[in-house]
Amino acid sequence: MKKWTRLTFAMVMATVMIVVAACGNQKENNEGANNTGGASQEETITLTMMHPWTSPNVDNEVYKARIAAFEAQFPHIKIQQDGVAAAQYKTKLFTLATANNLADINVTWPGADLEPLVKGDLLMPLNDYMDNWNGLVLEDSLVGYNADGNQLAIPTKRNFVDIIYYNKEYLAQVGYNEFPTTYEDFIDMIKKLKEAGITPISLGNKEKWPLQSSYMSIIGQRFAGEDFLNKVMAGEAQLTDPQYVKAIAVIDELTKLEAFNVDANNMDSVQAQDYLIQGKAAMHISSATVDGRIRTNNEEGDKFGIALFPSVPGGLGDPKMSAGVSQFGISIKNGLDEKKQAAALEFIKFFVSEELYTDLAKAGILVPANVEMGDDISPYLKEMYELTSHGTAPVFDAVINTQAAKEFENGLQAITVGRGTAEEVAQDTQALIGK
């Protein structure tokens, strides 16, 4: 009897184990079937993104916060960021482009900087998705990122590169209660600042682009006119033309007047901003972006004014214009697989949005979009909009090809240390136009 009982119990347990195992297998099969149908929702997709948002400018913080917000809302999409300093960014971008090894998402510039990427067919056309930005992004800001009818990027900010920030107290100290409107008075003011023991202009040209972009984009326009650079690229004018050589010679004149700080070529652009903020110089020429550091987020912001470069003798350009460009276009690499492309489109729609433009505007950044100017918008930003609302001149390296622009930067820096002439810089740069 006991033997029979033990045998019956063993048979029952064996049956139970078989049933449990079968149920377990059925559950695994069901889960496997469910995973097959829902993998696209839960699978982690990693997108690489290269950007130049490494410096402490306020707009850079807005961009990085927007990336973090995207990852929080779309946890299955990871953005692997490659932050490259602005001075090296374009060089790396074009090096990767040559090897057909761009990141999945890239920050790009319009005009001449976009051309190599267009020729290599490296950017995905966004034409079919433009409904996301219709009525939001200004049409004239999209033009620079359009090639052969294809929209290749959506810009995130509008920047003017030639804003003169000045210490009102220092200028008043030498008799200028308003910023001078003529070059003659501008030079007179510089001489008087020097006599008073005040460094006239803080320059951080270690990265080389400031003299090329912030200075020569507008000085060249003042002398040669706003259409001159486009004529150069079309072969209808040359940088060696007398009017443009006069423009380059301004850098030589300022150098000989000792208008810049002595360590200009060892100081970067952020350090030069600090130089002005700390009261070590009377002026600093840079982009509208840095208004956030100098005035908006500075307790002593009211002591700084903004102005544009004055008119010049015999100048052909409109002295009310500022040199500007739509910047930081967000582009998607061409040829991504279906899943990555869908994720990248999800990112660009989220990232370049009304929320981004509003956050940038609140931080004091000019934006290429129709956004409400509420009461919380800084009065400094409104002043900047007014200053830059009288027409836009082109930025040098947005028109002139990269190789020539780099040669121009080297030549301008050489002038600041007493090597070379305006004529030589013009000749050396002209030789590389179009190459």
Side-chain angles (χ1 to χ4, degrees), residues 77 92 124 186 210 232 242 249 280 307 314 330 364 370 377 392 394 407:
I77 304 176
K92 182 170 182 178
M124 172 185 164
F186 178 69
V232 169
K280 297 179 180 178
I330 307 300
N370 293 305
I377 296 295
T392 305
E407 177 63 33

Side-chain angles (χ1 to χ4, degrees), residues 115-143:
E115 189 174 337
L117 307 180
V118 173
K119 288 182 177 179
D121 193 25
L122 299 177
L123 302 180
M124 172 185 164
L126 301 171
N127 300 27
D128 294 339
Y129 312 98
M130 291 307 296
D131 285 348
N132 291 286
W133 300 284
N134 284 343
L136 176 62
V137 181
L138 300 174
E139 288 294 328
D140 63 350
S141 297
L142 292 169
V143 172

Side-chain angles (χ1 to χ4, degrees), residues 185-236:
D185 286 341
F186 178 69
I187 293 299
D188 175 70
M189 182 180 68
I190 286 175
K191 291 177 180 178
K192 289 178 177 176
L193 287 166
K194 285 294 294 182
E195 291 171 1
I198 302 170
T199 299
I201 305 173
S202 67
L203 170 64
N205 201 51
K206 181 179 180 180
E207 303 148 306
K208 296 184 181 180
W209 62 260
L211 283 178
Q212 170 263 118
S213 182
S214 293
Y215 284 70
M216 288 308 304
S217 293
I218 200 60
I219 297 174
Q221 181 270 348
R222 293 292 191 261
F223 278 92
E226 42 275 5
D227 58 348
F228 181 78
L229 294 178
N230 288 315
K231 285 183 177 180
V232 169
M233 291 305 295
E236 300 169 4

Side-chain angles (χ1 to χ4, degrees), residues 46-344:
T46 299
L47 297 173
T48 56
M49 179 180 187
M50 192 168 81
H51 63 69
W53 303 325
T54 60
S55 63
N57 291 341
V58 290
D59 60 325
N60 292 351
E61 303 307 317
V62 172
Y63 294 130
K64 287 185 281 189
R66 193 74 183 151
I67 294 173
F70 173 81
E71 290 184 313
Q73 185 164 325
F74 298 86
H76 65 290
I77 304 176
K78 171 71 175 174
I79 306 299
Q80 183 178 315
Q81 300 180 55
D82 180 13
V84 181
Q88 288 82 45
Y89 183 85
K90 291 181 183 179
T91 298
K92 182 170 182 178
L93 180 69
F94 297 138
T95 299
L96 293 176
T98 301
N100 194 21
N101 194 30
L102 288 180
D104 300 326
I105 301 167
N106 298 275
V107 172
T108 54
W109 277 259
D113 287 322
L114 196 69
E115 189 174 337
L117 307 180
V118 173
K119 288 182 177 179
D121 193 25
L122 299 177
L123 302 180
M124 172 185 164
L126 301 171
N127 300 27
D128 294 339
Y129 312 98
M130 291 307 296
D131 285 348
N132 291 286
W133 300 284
N134 284 343
L136 176 62
V137 181
L138 300 174
E139 288 294 328
D140 63 350
S141 297
L142 292 169
V143 172
Y145 292 99
N146 194 295
D148 302 323
N150 289 321
Q151 191 65 41
L152 301 174
I154 309 299
T156 60
K157 76 173 183 178
R158 170 172 278 184
N159 195 19
F160 291 87
V161 301
D162 60 325
I163 307 302
I164 302 179
Y165 299 91
Y166 63 92
N167 186 312
K168 299 175 184 176
E169 297 171 3
Y170 287 168
L171 266 61
Q173 188 175 324
V174 295
Y176 284 88
N177 293 314
E178 301 287 341
F179 197 86
T181 58
T182 67
Y183 186 69
E184 181 182 14
D185 286 341
F186 178 69
I187 293 299
D188 175 70
M189 182 180 68
I190 286 175
K191 291 177 180 178
K192 289 178 177 176
L193 287 166
K194 285 294 294 182
E195 291 171 1
I198 302 170
T199 299
I201 305 173
S202 67
L203 170 64
N205 201 51
K206 181 179 180 180
E207 303 148 306
K208 296 184 181 180
W209 62 260
L211 283 178
Q212 170 263 118
S213 182
S214 293
Y215 284 70
M216 288 308 304
S217 293
I218 200 60
I219 297 174
Q221 181 270 348
R222 293 292 191 261
F223 278 92
E226 42 275 5
D227 58 348
F228 181 78
L229 294 178
N230 288 315
K231 285 183 177 180
V232 169
M233 291 305 295
E236 300 169 4
Q238 294 193 340
L239 297 179
T240 52
D241 290 354
Q243 281 296 101
Y244 203 78
V245 172
K246 289 179 183 178
I248 300 174
V250 169
I251 305 301
D252 188 38
E253 181 173 14
L254 293 175
T255 297
K256 289 174 179 174
L257 289 172
E258 298 181 346
F260 306 124
N261 43 296
V262 294
D263 53 352
N265 290 316
N266 296 318
M267 181 184 290
D268 65 29
S269 54
V270 176
Q271 290 172 314
Q273 297 164 29
D274 291 336
Y275 214 75
L276 175 76
I277 293 170
Q278 295 163 6
K280 297 179 180 178
M283 290 175 281
H284 175 67
I285 305 178
S286 189
S287 73
T289 298
V290 308
D291 199 34
R293 295 193 73 226
I294 295 174
R295 301 198 302 166
T296 307
N297 300 316
N298 184 356
E299 291 182 356
E300 296 184 301
D302 283 345
K303 76 177 184 181
F304 298 105
I306 55 174
L308 298 178
F309 201 83
S311 64
V312 300
L316 303 179
D318 184 346
K320 293 182 179 180
M321 279 190 174
S322 181
V325 65
S326 292
Q327 284 188 324
F328 293 171
I330 307 300
S331 299
I332 298 175
K333 179 182 178 180
N334 212 1
L336 295 180
D337 64 41
E338 186 176 349
K339 290 180 181 178
K340 278 199 167 186
Q341 179 177 302

Side-chain angles (χ1 to χ4, degrees), residues 8-25:
T8 302
F9 180 77
M11 291 176 65
V12 171
M13 290 303 296
T15 302
V16 171
M17 292 300 292
I18 291 170
V19 172
V20 170
C23 290
N25 289 338

